[in-house]
PDB file of all heavy atoms in Angstrom:
ATOM      1  N   LYS A1166      -7.718  -4.431 -16.836  1.00  0.00           N
ATOM      2  CA  LYS A1166      -8.153  -3.628 -15.729  1.00  0.00           C
ATOM      3  C   LYS A1166      -7.022  -3.293 -14.807  1.00  0.00           C
ATOM      4  O   LYS A1166      -6.800  -2.130 -14.440  1.00  0.00           O
ATOM      5  CB  LYS A1166      -9.296  -4.372 -14.974  1.00  0.00           C
ATOM      6  CG  LYS A1166      -9.779  -3.591 -13.764  1.00  0.00           C
ATOM      7  CD  LYS A1166     -10.500  -2.331 -14.034  1.00  0.00           C
ATOM      8  CE  LYS A1166     -11.871  -2.617 -14.681  1.00  0.00           C
ATOM      9  NZ  LYS A1166     -12.639  -1.406 -14.837  1.00  0.00           N
ATOM     10  N   LEU A1170      -5.197   0.483 -14.144  1.00  0.00           N
ATOM     11  CA  LEU A1170      -5.156   1.140 -12.776  1.00  0.00           C
ATOM     12  C   LEU A1170      -3.697   1.303 -12.351  1.00  0.00           C
ATOM     13  O   LEU A1170      -3.295   2.352 -11.780  1.00  0.00           O
ATOM     14  CB  LEU A1170      -5.921   0.312 -11.777  1.00  0.00           C
ATOM     15  CG  LEU A1170      -7.431   0.233 -12.006  1.00  0.00           C
ATOM     16  CD1 LEU A1170      -8.078  -0.692 -10.969  1.00  0.00           C
ATOM     17  CD2 LEU A1170      -8.093   1.562 -12.015  1.00  0.00           C
ATOM     18  N   TYR A1219      -9.234  -2.503  -1.380  1.00  0.00           N
ATOM     19  CA  TYR A1219      -9.668  -2.564  -2.752  1.00  0.00           C
ATOM     20  C   TYR A1219     -10.547  -3.751  -3.017  1.00  0.00           C
ATOM     21  O   TYR A1219     -11.640  -3.666  -3.659  1.00  0.00           O
ATOM     22  CB  TYR A1219      -8.443  -2.507  -3.754  1.00  0.00           C
ATOM     23  CG  TYR A1219      -8.849  -2.764  -5.109  1.00  0.00           C
ATOM     24  CD1 TYR A1219      -9.353  -1.753  -5.910  1.00  0.00           C
ATOM     25  CD2 TYR A1219      -8.769  -4.096  -5.730  1.00  0.00           C
ATOM     26  CE1 TYR A1219      -9.710  -2.000  -7.296  1.00  0.00           C
ATOM     27  CE2 TYR A1219      -9.121  -4.330  -7.007  1.00  0.00           C
ATOM     28  CZ  TYR A1219      -9.618  -3.317  -7.811  1.00  0.00           C
ATOM     29  OH  TYR A1219     -10.016  -3.519  -9.079  1.00  0.00           O
ATOM     30  N   MET A1223     -14.526  -3.875  -4.019  1.00  0.00           N
ATOM     31  CA  MET A1223     -14.997  -4.392  -5.268  1.00  0.00           C
ATOM     32  C   MET A1223     -15.988  -5.543  -5.082  1.00  0.00           C
ATOM     33  O   MET A1223     -16.907  -5.760  -5.855  1.00  0.00           O
ATOM     34  CB  MET A1223     -13.832  -4.847  -6.119  1.00  0.00           C
ATOM     35  CG  MET A1223     -12.898  -3.710  -6.581  1.00  0.00           C
ATOM     36  SD  MET A1223     -13.787  -2.238  -7.154  1.00  0.00           S
ATOM     37  CE  MET A1223     -14.571  -2.931  -8.588  1.00  0.00           C
ATOM     38  N   ASP A1231     -13.457  -7.712 -11.295  1.00  0.00           N
ATOM     39  CA  ASP A1231     -12.533  -6.637 -10.969  1.00  0.00           C
ATOM     40  C   ASP A1231     -11.699  -6.878  -9.780  1.00  0.00           C
ATOM     41  O   ASP A1231     -10.679  -6.224  -9.610  1.00  0.00           O
ATOM     42  CB  ASP A1231     -13.372  -5.339 -10.777  1.00  0.00           C
ATOM     43  CG  ASP A1231     -13.875  -4.804 -12.151  1.00  0.00           C
ATOM     44  OD1 ASP A1231     -13.373  -5.281 -13.174  1.00  0.00           O
ATOM     45  OD2 ASP A1231     -14.773  -3.877 -12.079  1.00  0.00           O
ATOM     46  N   LEU A1334      -7.682   8.128 -11.349  1.00  0.00           N
ATOM     47  CA  LEU A1334      -7.990   6.707 -11.514  1.00  0.00           C
ATOM     48  C   LEU A1334      -9.419   6.494 -11.957  1.00  0.00           C
ATOM     49  O   LEU A1334      -9.700   5.589 -12.764  1.00  0.00           O
ATOM     50  CB  LEU A1334      -7.789   6.025 -10.187  1.00  0.00           C
ATOM     51  CG  LEU A1334      -6.352   5.850  -9.786  1.00  0.00           C
ATOM     52  CD1 LEU A1334      -6.264   5.367  -8.281  1.00  0.00           C
ATOM     53  CD2 LEU A1334      -5.628   4.805 -10.615  1.00  0.00           C
ATOM     54  N   ASP A1338     -10.288   4.657 -15.353  1.00  0.00           N
ATOM     55  CA  ASP A1338     -11.193   3.456 -15.317  1.00  0.00           C
ATOM     56  C   ASP A1338     -12.304   3.611 -16.318  1.00  0.00           C
ATOM     57  O   ASP A1338     -12.613   2.723 -17.087  1.00  0.00           O
ATOM     58  CB  ASP A1338     -11.651   3.304 -13.939  1.00  0.00           C
ATOM     59  CG  ASP A1338     -12.520   1.981 -13.748  1.00  0.00           C
ATOM     60  OD1 ASP A1338     -12.445   1.111 -14.639  1.00  0.00           O
ATOM     61  OD2 ASP A1338     -13.186   1.867 -12.738  1.00  0.00           O
ATOM     62  N   ASP A1344     -16.793   1.607 -14.919  1.00  0.00           N
ATOM     63  CA  ASP A1344     -17.707   2.577 -14.392  1.00  0.00           C
ATOM     64  C   ASP A1344     -17.112   3.532 -13.369  1.00  0.00           C
ATOM     65  O   ASP A1344     -17.848   4.375 -12.750  1.00  0.00           O
ATOM     66  CB  ASP A1344     -18.926   1.836 -13.752  1.00  0.00           C
ATOM     67  CG  ASP A1344     -18.528   0.808 -12.735  1.00  0.00           C
ATOM     68  OD1 ASP A1344     -17.444   0.865 -12.227  1.00  0.00           O
ATOM     69  OD2 ASP A1344     -19.326  -0.081 -12.484  1.00  0.00           O
ATOM     70  N   GLY A1345     -15.862   3.410 -13.124  1.00  0.00           N
ATOM     71  CA  GLY A1345     -15.127   4.303 -12.173  1.00  0.00           C
ATOM     72  C   GLY A1345     -15.069   3.815 -10.760  1.00  0.00           C
ATOM     73  O   GLY A1345     -14.230   4.349  -9.963  1.00  0.00           O
ATOM     74  N   ILE A1346     -15.805   2.755 -10.460  1.00  0.00           N
ATOM     75  CA  ILE A1346     -15.842   2.283  -9.060  1.00  0.00           C
ATOM     76  C   ILE A1346     -14.431   1.671  -8.718  1.00  0.00           C
ATOM     77  O   ILE A1346     -13.836   1.906  -7.653  1.00  0.00           O
ATOM     78  CB  ILE A1346     -16.947   1.251  -8.816  1.00  0.00           C
ATOM     79  CG1 ILE A1346     -18.292   1.867  -8.995  1.00  0.00           C
ATOM     80  CG2 ILE A1346     -16.830   0.571  -7.454  1.00  0.00           C
ATOM     81  CD1 ILE A1346     -19.478   0.924  -8.954  1.00  0.00           C
ATOM     82  N   ALA A1347     -13.946   0.894  -9.598  1.00  0.00           N
ATOM     83  CA  ALA A1347     -12.628   0.315  -9.352  1.00  0.00           C
ATOM     84  C   ALA A1347     -11.519   1.321  -9.245  1.00  0.00           C
ATOM     85  O   ALA A1347     -10.586   1.237  -8.399  1.00  0.00           O
ATOM     86  CB  ALA A1347     -12.196  -0.675 -10.475  1.00  0.00           C
ATOM     87  N   GLY A1348     -11.594   2.398 -10.048  1.00  0.00           N
ATOM     88  CA  GLY A1348     -10.614   3.451  -9.918  1.00  0.00           C
ATOM     89  C   GLY A1348     -10.605   4.106  -8.591  1.00  0.00           C
ATOM     90  O   GLY A1348      -9.558   4.322  -7.941  1.00  0.00           O
ATOM     91  N   LEU A1349     -11.790   4.518  -8.080  1.00  0.00           N
ATOM     92  CA  LEU A1349     -11.899   5.138  -6.767  1.00  0.00           C
ATOM     93  C   LEU A1349     -11.459   4.190  -5.692  1.00  0.00           C
ATOM     94  O   LEU A1349     -10.829   4.562  -4.682  1.00  0.00           O
ATOM     95  CB  LEU A1349     -13.312   5.606  -6.527  1.00  0.00           C
ATOM     96  CG  LEU A1349     -13.760   6.789  -7.413  1.00  0.00           C
ATOM     97  CD1 LEU A1349     -15.229   7.094  -7.131  1.00  0.00           C
ATOM     98  CD2 LEU A1349     -12.909   7.990  -7.096  1.00  0.00           C
ATOM     99  N   ALA A1350     -11.786   2.891  -5.802  1.00  0.00           N
ATOM    100  CA  ALA A1350     -11.408   1.973  -4.778  1.00  0.00           C
ATOM    101  C   ALA A1350      -9.894   1.727  -4.654  1.00  0.00           C
ATOM    102  O   ALA A1350      -9.403   1.222  -3.641  1.00  0.00           O
ATOM    103  CB  ALA A1350     -12.130   0.575  -5.082  1.00  0.00           C
ATOM    104  N   ALA A1351      -9.211   2.131  -5.689  1.00  0.00           N
ATOM    105  CA  ALA A1351      -7.686   1.965  -5.712  1.00  0.00           C
ATOM    106  C   ALA A1351      -6.992   3.231  -5.243  1.00  0.00           C
ATOM    107  O   ALA A1351      -5.783   3.219  -5.122  1.00  0.00           O
ATOM    108  CB  ALA A1351      -7.206   1.622  -7.106  1.00  0.00           C
ATOM    109  N   ALA A1352      -7.766   4.262  -4.912  1.00  0.00           N
ATOM    110  CA  ALA A1352      -7.162   5.557  -4.479  1.00  0.00           C
ATOM    111  C   ALA A1352      -6.821   5.511  -3.010  1.00  0.00           C
ATOM    112  O   ALA A1352      -7.423   6.302  -2.184  1.00  0.00           O
ATOM    113  CB  ALA A1352      -8.040   6.688  -4.798  1.00  0.00           C
TER     114      ALA A1352
END
Side-chain angles (χ1 to χ4, degrees):
K1166 176 68 71 173
L1170 296 179
Y1219 170 82
M1223 295 316 297
D1231 285 348
L1334 289 166
D1338 188 12
D1344 52 21
I1346 295 176
L1349 289 176

